[in-house]
Amino acid sequence: MPNPFSIRLSVLVLLLVLQFESAEAKAVIAMKGDRVEISSWIDARFSRGSGVPFSFRLDGVPSSEFLGSWKRVCRITVPDDSSALSRTYTWSDESSGLAVICEVTGYPQSDVVEWVLRFRNLSGGNSGRISEVKVADLRMDYPVAGPLSLHYAEGNKISRADYAPRTKVFDTGEKLHFEPSGGRSSSEAFPFYNIESKASGQGVMMAIGWTGTWFSDFRQVGQKSLCVEAGMANIDLYLKPGEEIRVPSVAFLFWSGTQMDGHNRFRRFLLEHRYRKVEGEPVRHYLSSGFNYRDPQPFGEYSCITSEWAVAMINRYRQFGLVPDVFWLDAGWHTGASDYQEGKNWASTTGNWTVDRERFPDGMKPVSDAAHAAGAKFMLWFEPERVVKGTQWAVEHKEWMLDCPQPAGSEEADWLLFDLGNDEACDWLCKYYGDFLEENGVDWYRQDCNIKPAPYWAHNDEPGRKGIKEIRHIENLYRFWDYLLDRFPEMVIDNCASGGKRLDWETISRSVPLWRSDYYHHDDPDGYQCHTYGLNYFLPIHGTGILLPDKYSFRSSLSSTLIYNWKITEKGVSVLEMQERLAEYRSISDYYLEDYYPLTGDGDLTGHDVWLAYQMHRPSDGTGIVVAFRREESAVDNCPVRLQGLSPDKSYELTDSDTGVSVVKTGRELSEGFRLVLDSPKSSLLIKYKVL
């Protein structure tokens, strides 16, 4: 191992040392103060070629052996966020003609730094081979020896355990590797972490931004050090003359205190600085609703919906006082989706991206007009990347279709991948979808992705250019979304990929996951509880659906956003009950954007025989809520919890939302232990509390 270059930080007075791998002798720079001096932090780390917190290989040679001799230029740029600072560092080499560009952004008041790498060929010939790109390549040294813990979440597997919280306590030399499957960034792995040293009372939140196949490795060295590497998993290529590529981004937030202090500082940072803003305000919680979710078989989804039916449903919701913030029309509105006599459905006709004029003779405008008249937005579903063979796009734009070998007879054998990485195709898609949304009065754009793109990328890479198809696809995915957001400043993009399989540092700045898991289709409220519980550690904005209006089912789906898919035209449902549920949600929804505290640990909470409970706390006024579930097979009628974030000497009034019964406890009493009680299995508890 090369000798490390280390930099000493002060994070809220406590010291955390980051040692970067380099070929130089160890040097220590001490920065003291109450907070991290982010400007100095950045300049110290990127001021030379060696010792930088990233690495790569050029023709097999590690960058640590040559980057220090390259010409380095720093350019100060002005970011859109006035609270941020930005630097662009460029290292260039005249002999090879290659330039490495690192765009760094810091947030001094939040102790956050992020950066992204680019490579540019300035020569008239092909560049050398670029491989093993690690956008993060560093070592974290904590000031006190002791156990080092990695807090992370499971990726999306369309299971009850989606986003389940996990903690790994390392042994010396032990390594942990993460990598998503199939080319979607949160499929089976989740690119957000909290690295904690309990002995030091410090930690670092980490996030990776790449909506393809990233990787991360964590390895403990010694008694107080953890090596961290992250980057693009599949890259080994040269650049053509004048060509430029970007690779993953990475972000770190430094914190002190307890594990949840780190998570909550990260949540607050996302709300203040990372999430998209509409009219100056971050995109926050929204209530959405469909049109009596799921058409009868053999149609499925919305393959038999018509313009008249959609408008009638909007008016029905209006009549019942159930108008959402957003009316959401999902899959099945497009041409050919209703042709069940020929065995067609919404899934087998993607690529027919025109409105079915038999069912919608005037397009979507009458539906969007009806939604607007009811005081709601209108959102429409699309899936541009998965194109079924024989559909409009597959025939009319076959030059933009990527194919790859698939098992004979499989559903995937009929699928193509739209070559979004082709600039001409991306330009066309931007205008086509932009015009479509404008002409049809669509306010919000919902993008699904039910295809695993990685095999298509790999099969169509140019010889000697492993990873180029993935890079170009991801670059242009961001460009496409940015185009829509620039053209429609009030638009929100709903990011769905078979549920939440595309959650990462880059997508959360451009989109929101209103449908975080396709496990919803299992109609299992206990699973929805688990998803809220785990995802809340890292992301404050996410949602799922609710099919039934009973308290247990409804509260199981509670989150910062919610989609109610009630069958309001069927017998046996109560409009009054639905109205009560929505009123309850509106009274507490703001709390899901506040501090989060899991109350039942991070063990296995997927069983039907356990309790699950969590707390949402507003530090500004000391109010909050506690939500708890006693599941169907639980034989225990109580659950002891310790509330967090409270002032020990203040008194709090806790009120059961169902019974109206109140108790008064001090913050110290509640933090030492408070017993939640539910007499019946499969029941829920919602407690609101306030400072007296």
Side-chain angles (χ1 to χ4, degrees):
M1 179 181 292
N3 294 326
F5 169 81
S6 67
I7 299 172
R8 189 172 301 276
L9 295 176
S10 171
V11 184
L12 300 173
V13 182
L14 300 172
L15 290 179
L16 167 66
V17 180
L18 293 188
Q19 292 186 323
F20 301 115
E21 308 293 334
S22 88
E24 296 193 353
K26 182 176 179 179
V28 178
I29 300 174
M31 298 188 299
K32 297 182 179 180
D34 289 342
R35 302 190 69 86
V36 174
E37 293 293 336
I38 288 293
S39 178
S40 300
W41 195 100
I42 292 172
D43 290 338
R45 281 151 184 78
F46 296 94
S47 62
R48 56 175 70 188
S50 56
V52 293
F54 62 83
S55 69
F56 62 96
R57 287 180 178 266
L58 183 60
D59 286 330
V61 181
S63 57
S64 59
E65 296 185 12
F66 58 79
L67 200 59
S69 64
W70 287 18
K71 179 182 178 181
R72 173 190 162 279
V73 175
C74 174
R75 180 169 59 91
I76 298 176
T77 55
V78 179
D80 294 335
D81 190 330
S82 61
S83 64
L85 55 89
S86 183
R87 307 279 189 271
T88 299
Y89 297 88
T90 302
W91 292 264
S92 57
D93 176 53
E94 186 174 344
S95 62
S96 68
L98 189 66
V100 181
I101 304 157
C102 187
E103 299 169 358
V104 189
T105 304
Y107 298 83
Q109 297 305 310
S110 303
D111 299 326
V112 171
V113 62
E114 63 170 316
W115 62 86
V116 61
L117 287 183
R118 300 180 186 274
F119 294 88
R120 181 184 300 157
N121 184 4
L122 304 176
S123 74
N126 292 338
S127 75
R129 301 195 66 79
I130 301 166
S131 63
E132 295 186 33
V133 176
K134 300 174 183 177
V135 67
D137 189 356
L138 51 92
R139 192 171 86 196
M140 297 183 178
D141 270 5
Y142 289 88
V144 179
L148 297 178
S149 300
L150 181 70
H151 305 288
Y152 63 100
E154 294 286 346
N156 186 300
K157 303 174 184 178
I158 313 182
S159 75
R160 192 181 301 164
D162 288 355
Y163 317 115
R166 300 285 186 254
T167 295
K168 171 63 179 177
V169 181
F170 285 92
D171 292 326
T172 300
E174 194 170 9
K175 181 178 179 180
L176 201 58
H177 175 80
F178 297 90
E179 185 177 316
S181 69
R184 294 178 292 180
S185 54
S186 53
S187 177
E188 301 191 32
F190 194 63
F192 297 88
Y193 309 96
N194 188 356
I195 306 163
E196 180 190 22
S197 167
K198 280 188 168 63
S200 304
Q202 296 175 324
V204 181
M205 300 292 300
M206 174 182 171
I208 302 168
W210 187 247
T211 317
T213 306
W214 51 269
F215 78 90
S216 62
D217 288 310
F218 301 87
R219 176 171 53 89
Q220 181 165 345
V221 289
Q223 298 299 309
K224 56 180 182 179
S225 302
L226 194 72
C227 288
V228 178
E229 299 175 352
M232 182 177 167
N234 304 307
I235 180 170
D236 188 355
L237 50 76
Y238 63 85
L239 299 182
K240 297 177 181 179
E243 190 176 26
E244 178 177 319
I245 59 171
R246 70 150 284 182
V247 292
S249 59
V250 68
F252 295 95
L253 178 150
F254 306 103
W255 60 266
S256 64
T258 67
Q259 174 197 346
M260 292 312 300
D261 289 328
H263 287 287
N264 283 320
R265 286 193 61 196
F266 188 72
R267 285 168 54 91
R268 291 181 217 135
F269 174 81
L270 295 182
L271 288 167
E272 186 175 356
H273 297 287
R274 192 65 182 171
Y275 284 126
R276 171 172 158 75
K277 291 180 170 59
V278 174
E279 296 181 348
E281 293 295 325
V283 174
R284 295 182 178 269
H285 51 80
Y286 288 93
L287 272 171
S288 307
S289 186
F291 300 80
N292 263 32
Y293 184 60
R294 292 179 181 161
D295 288 338
Q297 292 301 320
F299 290 96
E301 299 302 326
Y302 291 102
S303 294
C304 70
I305 195 171
T306 64
S307 181
E308 293 86 355
W309 175 262
V311 171
M313 288 301 301
I314 290 173
N315 291 332
R316 196 68 160 171
Y317 276 89
R318 191 175 189 177
Q319 175 188 5
F320 291 160
L322 299 172
V323 174
D325 299 312
V326 183
F327 277 107
W328 166 342
L329 181 52
D330 211 85
W333 53 267
H334 52 281
T335 299
S338 65
D339 192 5
Y340 70 94
Q341 295 95 337
E342 298 298 325
K344 303 294 185 181
N345 55 40
W346 70 270
S348 63
T349 51
T350 56
N352 287 343
W353 293 120
T354 53
V355 178
D356 186 339
R357 291 291 172 168
E358 291 186 7
R359 292 181 289 140
F360 299 90
D362 298 312
M364 286 293 159
K365 198 66 167 60
V367 183
S368 61
D369 285 346
H372 299 155
K377 303 285 188 181
F378 178 59
M379 180 169 73
L380 195 60
W381 172 93
F382 297 85
E383 192 187 355
E385 292 157 286
R386 183 177 65 91
V387 179
V388 176
K389 294 176 181 178
T391 59
Q392 294 167 347
W393 283 14
V395 174
E396 297 169 6
H397 301 287
K398 59 183 179 180
E399 72 278 14
W400 295 337
M401 300 298 132
L402 301 181
D403 202 352
C404 77
Q406 298 286 356
S410 68
E411 186 179 29
E412 291 83 355
D414 289 330
W415 295 354
L416 303 167
L417 180 71
F418 184 81
D419 189 7
L420 188 58
N422 180 305
D423 286 340
E424 182 183 3
C426 183
D427 290 340
W428 177 85
L429 184 69
C430 288
K431 187 176 188 308
Y432 183 87
Y433 269 22
D435 291 349
F436 183 102
L437 297 171
E438 184 173 315
E439 291 167 5
N440 287 277
V442 179
D443 304 291
W444 287 19
Y445 168 76
R446 172 171 166 79
Q447 180 160 329
D448 205 345
C449 179
N450 293 303
I451 189 172
K452 297 177 181 179
Y456 295 83
W457 294 331
H459 184 71
N460 290 278
D461 273 337
E462 303 168 41
R465 303 243 291 166
K466 180 182 179 181
I468 192 64
K469 277 295 184 182
E470 175 176 344
I471 290 170
R472 294 306 185 206
H473 191 109
I474 300 305
E475 287 176 333
N476 278 351
L477 173 67
Y478 300 154
R479 182 161 74 89
F480 171 50
W481 282 7
D482 289 343
Y483 168 86
L484 293 181
L485 296 175
D486 287 342
R487 180 166 173 176
F488 305 102
E490 297 184 12
M491 173 172 284
V492 171
I493 293 175
D494 171 30
N495 169 23
C496 179
S498 304
K501 290 183 179 287
R502 269 181 163 177
L503 305 181
D504 59 75
W505 182 250
E506 293 287 347
T507 58
I508 63 173
S509 69
R510 297 172 168 89
S511 63
V512 293
L514 299 182
W515 193 267
R516 64 196 178 198
S517 177
D518 268 0
Y519 184 73
Y520 172 84
H521 299 298
H522 289 75
D523 296 334
D524 176 14
D526 292 353
Y528 314 155
Q529 300 164 18
C530 293
H531 300 165
T532 295
Y533 192 91
L535 201 49
N536 269 356
Y537 277 84
F538 296 97
L539 302 183
I541 297 182
H542 52 87
T544 191
I546 174 63
L547 189 59
L548 301 174
D550 65 278
K551 287 181 181 179
Y552 188 87
S553 297
F554 187 81
R555 290 172 180 171
S556 295
S557 293
L558 287 176
S559 188
S560 51
T561 69
L562 184 66
I563 305 96
Y564 50 101
N565 289 318
W566 296 325
K567 297 282 191 176
I568 66 170
T569 61
E570 292 186 357
K571 295 180 179 180
V573 299
S574 169
V575 170
L576 294 178
E577 187 178 25
M578 296 175 186
Q579 292 174 342
E580 289 174 0
R581 296 291 85 76
L582 295 187
E584 179 176 273
Y585 177 74
R586 292 191 185 278
S587 73
I588 63 172
S589 57
D590 284 343
Y591 284 110
Y592 284 89
L593 303 175
E594 301 290 344
D595 286 358
Y596 171 65
Y597 295 104
L599 299 179
T600 41
D602 60 1
D604 184 2
L605 296 171
T606 59
H608 291 300
D609 59 349
V610 302
W611 278 69
L612 181 145
Y614 60 85
Q615 173 191 1
M616 307 302 307
H617 178 72
R618 180 179 295 145
S620 61
D621 63 7
T623 63
I625 60 172
V626 175
V627 182
F629 302 92
R630 178 187 174 187
R631 294 187 177 158
E632 188 170 16
E633 297 175 13
S634 172
V636 181
D637 67 357
N638 68 89
C639 178
V641 297
R642 297 174 182 268
L643 302 194
Q644 301 180 53
L646 308 181
S647 299
D649 298 326
K650 290 185 178 180
S651 294
Y652 294 82
E653 181 181 57
L654 297 87
T655 303
D656 186 316
S657 294
D658 297 322
T659 66
V661 174
S662 297
V663 296
V664 175
K665 300 279 185 179
T666 66
R668 181 173 289 105
E669 289 175 313
L670 293 170
S671 64
E672 291 175 350
F674 179 68
R675 197 168 294 276
L676 305 175
V677 178
L678 284 167
D679 294 332
S680 303
K682 198 175 182 181
S683 57
S684 64
L685 191 64
L686 173 61
I687 295 174
K688 300 178 182 179
Y689 64 83
K690 63 181 180 180
V691 180
L692 293 179

